[in-house]
Amino acid sequence: MREERADEIAALITAENGSALWFTRAGQGRMGRPVNAYVRAAEEFGWEEELTPSDPAQAFRTVVRREPIGVVAAVIPWNSPLSAALAKVVPALLAGNTVVLKVSPENSLSMALFADLVDRLGLPEGVMSVLPADRETSEHLVAHPGVDEISFTCSTRAGRRIAAIAGEQLKRVSLELAGKSAAVLLDDVDLRAEYGLSGGVWSADEARAVAVARRLRTGTVGVNGRPISFDGPFGGRKSSGLGREYGAAGLATYV
């Protein structure tokens, strides 16, 4: 369904945030990849497992169940609304949660179309809500006692504020914050940065590049320009946030 209206979605996003139409169109073609990765992760996920006792003399039966958290407030920025929405909504719903997706007012048109597409899936009323609103509404959602988890993507400053509010109620929170990613050309650059969302290392010696990548305090590192797989986790360290999205790690955020 989304594929059928990909050009319409791209045109709306371009009209809202000014990104080049070729860029937004290209982005629509990649949307299926993270969704498929989440679906596969859900199919293989250990929703319930019985543990093997470590002490045969104390062989109690222990069952671990991974259940929905409850109500998830997902707050996303204006610059890449559809990909940010799918990264949060898909795993939250697959895990059995209900979702309130708070989007920027600048994205009212594209996110209204997204809400229409979700509505056609036939979900029960109230399972998924799309709410274009301002920062005050974000704070209201974060502080609301009926919200069990906050998944937030935006600036480091706003993320610290969100974490402080959530901390007062000991709510779970996942933060994908600013990047400022380092690109390292070996023998030429020495990296020390406040942020650690992603980065890249280039070298003719791939083994050497991987060795340097392992030393970087950043969430993901690409070697020689290779893209990051949606099957693996994505997220930051230091001032770039906490928590992970995509794949099994991203799904586990919502149980």
Side-chain angles (χ1 to χ4, degrees):
M1 186 185 305
R2 181 200 60 76
E3 287 82 357
E4 296 173 0
R5 305 185 70 176
D7 286 345
E8 184 181 357
I9 295 172
L12 286 175
I13 293 175
T14 290
E16 290 170 335
N17 66 19
S19 57
L21 185 57
W22 69 264
F23 178 80
T24 49
R25 279 178 174 166
Q28 301 312 304
R30 295 191 294 266
M31 290 298 145
R33 298 176 188 172
V35 173
N36 292 337
Y38 273 134
V39 170
R40 191 184 79 167
E43 292 172 344
E44 300 175 351
F45 201 67
W47 297 104
E48 181 171 310
E49 58 181 328
E50 185 168 341
L51 302 184
T52 302
S54 59
D55 184 358
Q58 300 287 327
F60 303 115
R61 183 170 182 256
T62 302
V63 176
V64 177
R65 283 179 52 84
R66 294 174 175 86
E67 299 183 338
I69 291 173
V71 179
V72 174
V75 182
I76 63 173
W78 57 267
N79 59 331
S80 187
L82 188 58
S83 61
L86 291 176
K88 302 180 186 306
V89 169
V90 172
L93 293 179
L94 284 172
N97 301 283
T98 60
V99 182
V100 179
L101 176 65
K102 206 295 291 183
V103 303
S104 297
E106 292 87 348
N107 297 128
S108 297
L109 297 177
S110 60
M111 290 296 97
L113 176 54
F114 175 70
D116 179 62
L117 295 175
V118 171
D119 187 56
R120 297 185 187 187
L121 297 177
L123 296 175
E125 185 176 356
V127 169
M128 174 72 193
S129 303
V130 180
L131 180 64
D134 53 22
R135 292 181 180 179
E136 287 73 19
T137 301
S138 297
E139 293 207 5
H140 177 76
L141 280 173
V142 172
H144 196 287
V147 172
D148 300 292
E149 177 172 353
I150 302 98
S151 181
F152 177 82
T153 296
C154 204
S155 68
T156 298
R157 179 179 179 182
R160 288 181 173 131
R161 172 65 178 165
I162 296 292
I165 297 173
E168 293 176 0
Q169 300 181 31
L170 298 179
K171 289 183 180 178
R172 292 177 59 164
V173 61
S174 176
L175 305 173
E176 188 211 322
L177 307 178
K180 311 293 191 296
S181 304
V184 180
L185 282 70
L186 295 190
D187 297 329
D188 296 328
V189 178
D190 177 24
L191 66 117
R192 294 182 64 87
E194 176 185 357
Y195 299 95
L197 182 60
S198 60
V201 180
W202 280 261
S203 174
D205 184 341
E206 183 171 304
R208 184 184 179 207
V210 170
V212 172
R214 291 180 185 277
R215 296 169 57 191
L216 299 181
R217 296 187 64 224
T218 188
T220 57
V221 185
V223 173
N224 291 335
R226 292 194 179 95
I228 304 299
S229 168
F230 289 113
D231 295 310
F234 175 81
R237 299 179 65 179
K238 299 176 287 185
S239 293
S240 288
L242 53 89
R244 293 295 181 263
E245 294 183 332
Y246 299 132
L251 186 63
T253 297
Y254 297 97
V255 298

